[in-house]
Amino acid sequence: MSAPLLEQFIEALRVLPGVGQKTAQRMAYHLLDRDRRGGARLAEVMADALMKIGQCKQCRDFSEGEICGLCASASRDRQQLCVVESPVDRLAIEQATGYRGLYFVLHGKLSPLDGIGPRELGLDQLGERLAQGGVEEMIIATNPTVEGEATAHYVAQLARQHGVRPSRLAHGVPLGGELEYVDRGTLSHAFGSRSEIP
Amino acid sequence: MSAPLLEQFIEALRVLPGVGQKTAQRMAYHLLDRDRRGGARLAEVMADALMKIGQCKQCRDFSEGEICGLCASASRDRQQLCVVESPVDRLAIEQATGYRGLYFVLHGKLSPLDGIGPRELGLDQLGERLAQGGVEEMIIATNPTVEGEATAHYVAQLARQHGVRPSRLAHGVPLGGELEYVDRGTLSHAFGSRSEIP
């Protein structure tokens, strides 16, 4: 009985992650009832962003221009390169740590069954960049999953081929966590990698 | 360090209800990384819907045309009129009950402090409709809140002025609920309104 356009609107909202039928309905009705202006602006900015935002030629992070602001910045340390799976990971590291080097975004992880190989992750591009020299340490910050570890292994080899020192994030018990609730694999790893108290 | 357009995009997503900074970020990155096409379609449909969907002249529900499909339908009972606060409530009643009458959507509730009086709720329009005759029962389905009750009281008076019989939804213990967890007001009301077992 509803207007078809309203149904299309609700259906279209479901492309957003974590948004099902009920939430989409609530969102559509909220915008129509209370914030048409904000909604119109969102539609405009969204269309604009999806059309104009591409990838930085150097780090493959999202960027409007050819080179992103971070890669172009003169204040970053060009001897360190941190490899992450996705732009969200880059953001998390940027917000949480004092890292001042550059990044390289893979936009995924090696997954041969899904047809995602080194090419799809831009690893040829990463190889070229390392070949140009200047990078001394490559911090590999892929996720600690099976596929992430495989990717890290591959990327580390690539680094060694170009004489770059690979490193990875420490694994162990999270700060503020309780040993009782830490999963076995993490606890076993943390126990094995214990360090001496100076 | 991010591209300003990306920041604008994330900021704009926050007009959606229940979407904060983190969720907006996740949504923007998801669309950019995995579903540019779906996002572009959403932007298009959203702009279209917000521009074209207005209110039905008869029931004030959202509608593309002057009169919505439900009001125009020949198979609905024109002697019953159900008054609801918002289009979502209409949808809920339509989906849950076998009601075959028509609706009237207030788009709010009486709230003098916020400047929402009878005019803003279209009550003059509702009065005109009742004056035309034909309606026999008015089912008042405003929310059982203080403001909703005040609105119900006002609307019921309006109905009586036009010789229309007002009714309201039953209040009581929800089906499947446990007495232990029902709030005092509801329990007291349910106790007072008990009915004889035939």
Side-chain angles (χ1 to χ4, degrees):
Chain A
M1 282 299 172
S2 282
L5 187 55
L6 182 57
E7 271 166 33
Q8 282 175 39
F9 183 19
I10 292 171
E11 188 55 39
L13 276 164
R14 297 185 55 182
V15 299
L16 297 173
V19 173
Q21 177 68 20
K22 274 256 169 183
T23 313
Q25 223 171 62
R26 201 160 55 92
M27 286 175 165
Y29 280 54
H30 172 89
L31 290 181
L32 283 167
D33 226 7
R34 314 237 172 100
D35 201 357
R36 287 194 184 228
R37 206 182 239 183
R41 162 142 180 84
L42 170 57
E44 195 188 314
V45 172
M46 189 186 288
D48 212 33
L50 290 169
M51 202 153 54
K52 288 192 195 152
I53 295 180
Q55 289 183 1
C56 167
K57 280 211 167 174
Q58 261 185 44
C59 72
R60 298 182 94 227
D61 192 10
F62 294 132
S63 168
E64 274 174 88
E66 289 233 316
I67 305 290
C68 72
L70 202 143
C71 282
S73 163
S75 68
R76 308 289 301 208
D77 179 358
R78 268 138 221 292
Q79 302 185 335
Q80 288 184 310
L81 188 66
C82 177
V83 177
V84 291
E85 284 181 23
S86 78
V88 202
D89 299 334
R90 183 198 70 75
L91 201 69
I93 292 176
E94 194 66 13
Q95 286 171 349
T97 74
Y99 179 62
R100 300 296 303 155
L102 297 179
Y103 293 90
F104 189 85
V105 182
L106 300 174
H107 285 281
K109 50 209 160 191
L110 287 178
S111 178
L113 288 180
D114 301 320
I116 299 177
R119 258 192 74 127
E120 281 70 26
L121 301 184
L123 292 184
D124 38 356
Q125 194 178 331
L126 180 60
E128 282 168 29
R129 175 140 169 210
L130 294 180
Q132 287 167 16
V135 180
E136 297 199 345
E137 182 188 2
M138 181 189 281
I139 302 160
I140 303 173
T142 53
N143 289 323
T145 58
V146 175
E147 286 159 329
E149 290 292 320
T151 310
H153 185 75
Y154 192 99
V155 173
Q157 272 190 321
L158 190 70
R160 279 193 214 94
Q161 279 169 22
H162 291 90
V164 174
R165 185 163 36 92
S167 64
R168 69 202 283 242
L169 302 194
H171 292 316
V173 181
L175 296 191
E178 293 189 48
L179 287 195
E180 189 182 348
Y181 300 113
V182 169
D183 68 288
R184 277 196 204 180
T186 303
L187 190 53
S188 151
H189 184 98
F191 199 84
S193 320
R194 64 190 177 277
S195 59
E196 211 170 311
I197 300 171
Chain B
M1 281 298 173
S2 282
L5 188 54
L6 182 57
E7 271 165 33
Q8 281 175 39
F9 183 19
I10 292 170
E11 187 56 38
L13 277 164
R14 296 184 58 184
V15 299
L16 297 172
V19 173
Q21 177 67 21
K22 274 255 167 183
T23 312
Q25 223 171 62
R26 200 159 56 90
M27 285 174 166
Y29 280 55
H30 172 89
L31 290 181
L32 284 166
D33 226 7
R34 314 238 170 102
D35 200 358
R36 288 194 184 228
R37 206 182 241 184
R41 163 144 178 82
L42 170 58
E44 195 187 316
V45 172
M46 189 185 290
D48 212 33
L50 290 170
M51 203 154 52
K52 289 192 195 150
I53 295 179
Q55 289 183 0
C56 167
K57 281 212 167 173
Q58 262 186 42
C59 71
R60 297 181 95 226
D61 193 9
F62 294 131
S63 168
E64 275 175 86
E66 289 234 315
I67 304 291
C68 72
L70 202 144
C71 281
S73 163
S75 67
R76 308 290 300 208
D77 179 359
R78 269 139 220 290
Q79 302 186 336
Q80 288 184 311
L81 188 66
C82 178
V83 177
V84 292
E85 283 182 22
S86 78
V88 203
D89 299 334
R90 183 196 70 75
L91 201 68
I93 292 177
E94 194 66 15
Q95 286 171 349
T97 73
Y99 179 63
R100 300 297 302 156
L102 297 179
Y103 292 91
F104 188 85
V105 182
L106 300 173
H107 285 282
K109 50 208 161 192
L110 287 178
S111 178
L113 288 179
D114 302 320
I116 299 178
R119 257 193 74 132
E120 282 70 27
L121 301 184
L123 293 185
D124 38 357
Q125 195 179 331
L126 180 60
E128 281 168 30
R129 176 141 168 212
L130 295 180
Q132 286 167 16
V135 179
E136 297 199 345
E137 181 186 3
M138 181 189 280
I139 301 161
I140 303 172
T142 52
N143 289 322
T145 58
V146 175
E147 286 159 331
E149 290 291 320
T151 310
H153 184 75
Y154 192 99
V155 173
Q157 271 191 319
L158 190 69
R160 278 192 214 98
Q161 278 168 22
H162 292 87
V164 174
R165 187 163 33 93
S167 64
R168 70 202 283 241
L169 302 194
H171 293 316
V173 180
L175 296 190
E178 294 190 46
L179 287 195
E180 189 181 348
Y181 299 114
V182 169
D183 68 288
R184 275 195 206 180
T186 303
L187 191 53
S188 151
H189 184 97
F191 199 85
S193 319
R194 64 192 177 277
S195 58
E196 210 170 312
I197 300 172

